[in-house]
Amino acid sequence: MKRPPISHSRTVLRNFRLRTVLINFILLFLLAGMTVPALAHVGSPDVALEGNAGPYRLLVSVRPPDVIPGTAQVTVFMQNGSGSEVSAQPIYFYSGSKGAPSADVLQPVPGQPGQYKGLVWLMNDGSSSILLHVAGTAGKGDLIVPIVAVSTAQKKLPVVTGYVLILLGILLFILMVTIIGASVSDGLTRKGEALSAAGRRAKRIGIGMAVLFSSLIVYGGNSWWSQWAGRYRRFMYHPMHADYQLRQDNGMNQLTIHIDTANAQRKGWLPYVVPDHGKRCTCLS
Amino acid sequence: MGNGFFISDSSYTAIGYSGNWGVLLSLFHKPRHMSLTITPPMTQPAAPAKTRALSGAATIPVYIYAVSLASLLTIVGILWDISWHRSIGRDKFLSPPHILIYLGAIFAGLFSGLQVLWNSFYRKEASKATMIKVWGIFYSSLGSLFCIWGAIAMLTSAPFDDWWHNAYGLDVKILSPPHTLLAMGMIFLQFGACVSLCKYLNAASRKRALLRVLFVIAATSLLTMVYTLFTDYLHIRGMRAPLFYIIAAVTSLLLLPAFGRALRFKWGITAITAGYFLLVGTSNWILQLFPSEPKLGPILTHLTHFQPAQFPALVFIPALAMDLILQRQTLNDWVKALLMSLAFVSLLAAVQYPLSGFLLESPASRNWFFGGDTWYFGNSPDLPFRYRFRPEDLASLPAVLEGLFIAIVIGGLCARLSLRWGKWMQTIQR
């Protein structure tokens, strides 16, 4: 039976209330199987969710990109029903399903019945979700997986790629110097004639200028790159640092949290953290 | 095919080749004049006719066609790619526009590289005298060196850009270090095509008309590339403020006088700027005919077809005046440069200032021809200033006049530099 349409936010809340499991290693354990060692670490941004998409019971794992914009890797394990089509689309908080691109079909994983994999492109930072559509013999159903898109890592240049780029860079540098040297000397010499003394002098000056010019380009490029990387690091997610102290005072436990407000990346959000009847309350609009 | 044949050139007398290999290699570089005969050398024609042929006429080598075509491929690929990003958003390393761009790089690099290898290892010593000796081993034309640099830079930018996306995210800006390397490579490739053509234009070839057409193609590609790089400053919204005219003067007057002089054609600058108009215009008119769908969220405007770039500026109108000034033999280069800058800036302002209002604000521009309603899918269709100038877009009249004056002064210096550059292009021999 077709369910009445419900709003996006209500669906999110209901899914959270009923079946949200945000402990990623459980899902990894289930998906990988008993014979494969399961690996997990605390603080992983991966999202795991068990929920219903209409008549289908799904186990979903989303590995958000560690760099935004980027692609999230979505894995869906369908516990009931097979031969269905599973597709996914990113939903942004401020543009809703109307602002979502058409859904991408997740491909079945060979040798893993009921398992589907695919990529979802996340272009903007912030709160968003992935809307899963399932269509099969039992009918159609949707499931929303809430995620947060934020850059969490800075990758290093692989050694091999680095060496290749350095070698090509050196080749380009030498070739540039050669070209500029030839442009003011050999290239202007009539066919068959030898380079004159003036031409040789011009060539030396040209090469000297080219070395200077090319070095400036390399220096400027490197500065630009560093500036770009610095800006990226500034906006990359840094966990807020806090010290915790648990003390016993007159037989009662007292928890004291000292938040590093001076160096916190998101210190602008701290006013939203307020005490409420002895408990911490986060107020977000 | 097994018969030997003889090739005559201005700098060498007779070079023998035999077999299919020789024919294949000759495709990559045909000598400046080639006569084909299956008779022994002693039966060659008498001297007078041959001397005339050797003195200047040149057969255009295949690589010259290849690099001109490569110039065009790369810029068409870029225009397509920009439209792709505005209409679809999502792309891969081997998306069709990327393939076109890298095909241009491979095309130019391959043909130029083979030409260098052939010159270095298969040609006779006498014929190498028409080339530049590089690193004591290779023999190349000057233009080929530029093209090879451009091709290597473009291909280097590919893994660099791929890693850049992994490290800092997918493209959100046109200008990033790997994209700049790609752009530099394209500019070198396109300029290399111009330099390669200069060698033959300066040799007074009988096929000068064809060479000029090829030069216009390469120069048009280069001009369009430079304008595209400065799109943020050369936008319709900027046409009522000084910065547009300063940037337009610098970019145009650095290139156009040199091209006009190198082309050795009365209406060379007009031809190149008209080429720019036709290239961008045709891309716009064709791209819009194809359906597309945004594939990246958030999608605030659901588009149904490829979005065109903005309507190209009518640079060919001031270019007409620049050609007229360049034709004046009595003026020295400083006066020519100043007059060209004056004509360019004032005529460009006279044309584009009112035209920008029509293109942005008039409903009559929102059609297939003018593309006044072109839009990016990530922007809301209801933005209040979609069809109006924002207050910050509009400068006061004194500020615009002051900006035009600055543009004329800077443009004059750029034009003078460019005229000197054009003289250099006229002296390229190898």
Side-chain angles (χ1 to χ4, degrees), chain B residues 58-70:
Chain B
T59 302
I60 305 169
V62 173
Y63 88 92
I64 293 286
Y65 295 101
V67 293
S68 300
L69 179 63

Side-chain angles (χ1 to χ4, degrees), chain A residues 155-158 161 225, chain B residues 158-168:
Chain A
K155 293 182 180 174
K156 288 186 175 176
L157 191 64
T161 310
W225 188 343
Chain B
F160 188 18
D161 197 38
D162 193 45
W163 174 78
W164 193 271
H165 289 171
N166 288 332
Y168 303 117

